Amino acid sequence: MTQTTHKPLLNFIHGEWVAGRTGKTGQNINPANTEHVLGTYTLGDASDVDAAVEAAKAALPGWRATPAPKRGELLFRAMRVMEARKEELARALTLEEGKLIAEARGEVQKAINVLEFTAGEGRRLNGETAPSELPNTFTYTVRAPLGVVGIVTPWNFPVCIPVWKIAPALLCGNAVVFKPASLTPWTASILVEIFHEAGLPKGVLNLVMGGGGTVGQRIVTHPEIVAVSFTGSNEVGTRLYSDAAPLLKKVQCEMGGKNAVIVLDDADLELAAAGTVGGAFGSTGQRCTATSRVVVMESVADKFVERVAELTRKITVGDPLKDGSGMGPAVDEGQFKTDLSYIQIAKEEGARLVCGGDRVTDGDLKKGYFVAPTVFDHVKPNMRIAQEEVFGPVLSILRVKSFDEAIEVANGVRYGLTSSLYTNNVARALQYVDRLETGMLHVNNPTVGGEAHLPFGGTKATGVGAREMGKTAIDFYSEWRTVYVDYTGQKRSGNLY
């Protein structure tokens, strides 16, 4: 094992870095080189969550009384701190998650964009005035914070996803208990340092590391946590939603995707192939918006598959810190085995392997969790590789005979996060927007991506609750209050409803 890279990582409760009460620690491993132990992180339990909630409750009255524009100013300061620490944060992200350094820098920049946009909403937490049915009565609405909220985030976007949850939660005047993924504790620690350095009062943001079955479950069931925002797997999200329902908690879950690119017979095939390969293998396919399926019309399928294969074979799998690398490793052994398992399943089900299909073991890469970018052709809609989320660098190509069949096949999965259509036919593009069952739709660009000022989220099994990012993020972290001000100065008569 090589020398550790970061100091031992601790929980952050009431403005103090403290060890978890279990006294146990976990190892933070570099997925590109499993002999490189980045360091250790503390393992909390339910009692640490309880302490974090007490700290949040104590800090809540002062924070919710802080005017929203002032809360926004703090987010602007956090944005500037993050800009100053951008390279540090990106490098930590690459080392513990395996994302290419260029992609890590892009993720940090998106988090900066989210902070900038959300901070501006501090001057736009608007309600509305409305005429009353009653004379001499002034009616209006205002937004109010929820209270103490729990935030549970995944490993695949360990900077941006926490920021797009934490920022609107803080802006709305809530106090936060934050549980990051155990695979990415370093970036979580830096994020909390950034908010603290920006001047966030003690107790408003608390960090508790540990497993989902202990720390995560206590966040869901703690009676003083009134809302939970979760991003992760369908299995965990469904259980979380079920556990929170009897407690009447507000819940937001963003879960899986099985995103399709549709390539029609009039598409620019070079553009479609480039967008497909970028969407499928960027971030090693480890993002909920990754391109997992291509639904291509038979008349252009051979030419399209040939170009996809050419571009895929040109991807250099390698050390994510090196600028020449085109794809990094799977995040850990579990995901690595999942990728290889689905590749084997696809072969057994009769899909035709076009390229990839195995572990990469060249040189030092054998020390990491590297899987070759893999493409399967002649995949049938009922195959597991076409229905189940792999969350890795595995692309399935399904052939269809018509536009209507393409829509049917693209819709024929339980998920509904994002999709893409490549065509030069405006009518078909607008029909696609009307008929595709996804929360985000792209025309002539990849399935991936999302901008800070626009809603993020999907339909069907992909998610429940309000959308994330943009103005809609405010909806989850606040509640409406309707106010009636009677200025008659006397008792009213008649039916007042």
Side-chain angles (χ1 to χ4, degrees), residues 399-416:
R399 299 177 178 224
V400 296
K401 298 185 183 303
S402 68
F403 173 65
D404 286 339
E405 185 184 1
I407 295 293
E408 180 182 357
V409 169
N411 280 338
V413 294
R414 62 188 293 230
Y415 303 104

Side-chain angles (χ1 to χ4, degrees), residues 90-122:
R91 182 177 173 82
L93 197 167
T94 292
L95 283 170
E96 71 176 359
E97 194 266 352
K99 191 168 293 187
L100 298 180
I101 187 63
E103 294 173 332
R105 291 175 183 131
E107 180 178 340
V108 176
Q109 183 57 53
K110 182 173 178 179
I112 290 169
N113 296 345
V114 170
L115 282 169
E116 180 183 40
F117 175 81
T118 310
E121 291 300 290

Side-chain angles (χ1 to χ4, degrees), residues 168-328:
L170 296 179
L171 185 82
C172 290
N174 302 288
V176 174
V177 177
F178 166 40
K179 190 203 103 58
S182 295
L183 292 174
T184 51
W186 191 8
T187 47
S189 296
I190 296 173
L191 282 180
V192 171
E193 287 177 359
I194 286 171
F195 282 105
H196 185 60
E197 187 176 337
L200 191 65
K202 291 182 178 182
V204 175
L205 174 61
N206 304 275
L207 167 69
V208 183
M209 301 184 193
T214 52
V215 173
Q217 185 65 16
R218 183 55 177 161
I219 286 175
V220 173
T221 60
H222 196 293
E224 301 289 345
I225 292 179
V226 298
V228 179
S229 179
F230 166 83
T231 299
S233 71
N234 281 77
E235 178 185 5
V236 175
T238 301
R239 188 168 65 248
L240 183 157
Y241 191 51
S242 176
D243 290 345
L247 303 173
L248 302 180
K249 293 180 186 286
K250 196 173 186 181
V251 175
Q252 176 185 61
C253 292
E254 198 283 302
M255 299 177 284
K258 192 66 179 174
N259 312 301
V261 166
I262 299 174
V263 181
L264 300 185
D265 51 6
D266 66 330
D268 180 330
L269 295 186
E270 184 65 31
L271 182 68
T276 295
V277 171
F281 304 121
S283 298
T284 319
Q286 296 177 149
R287 47 188 173 191
C288 53
T289 59
T291 301
S292 184
R293 300 176 294 149
V294 182
V295 182
V296 58
M297 292 186 72
E298 185 69 57
S299 59
V300 296
D302 287 345
K303 186 175 180 180
F304 173 78
V305 172
E306 180 181 358
R307 186 56 180 145
V308 166
E310 290 175 358
L311 293 174
T312 302
R313 291 189 182 104
K314 290 179 180 179
I315 296 173
T316 300
V317 178
D319 183 346
L321 281 176
K322 293 183 178 179
D323 288 335
S325 297
M327 195 182 84

Side-chain angles (χ1 to χ4, degrees), residues 35 73 98 173 206 237 242-243 248 254 273 347 352 354 395 410 443 466:
E35 294 181 359
E73 287 177 12
N206 304 275
S242 176
D243 290 345
L248 302 180
E254 198 283 302
K347 293 175 181 178
R352 184 171 73 82
V354 176
L395 178 67
V443 176

Side-chain angles (χ1 to χ4, degrees), residues 433-450:
V433 171
D434 287 342
R435 296 170 62 185
L436 229 291
E437 298 167 351
T438 58
M440 297 179 289
L441 303 98
H442 301 260
V443 176
N444 291 329
N445 66 346
T447 60
V448 297

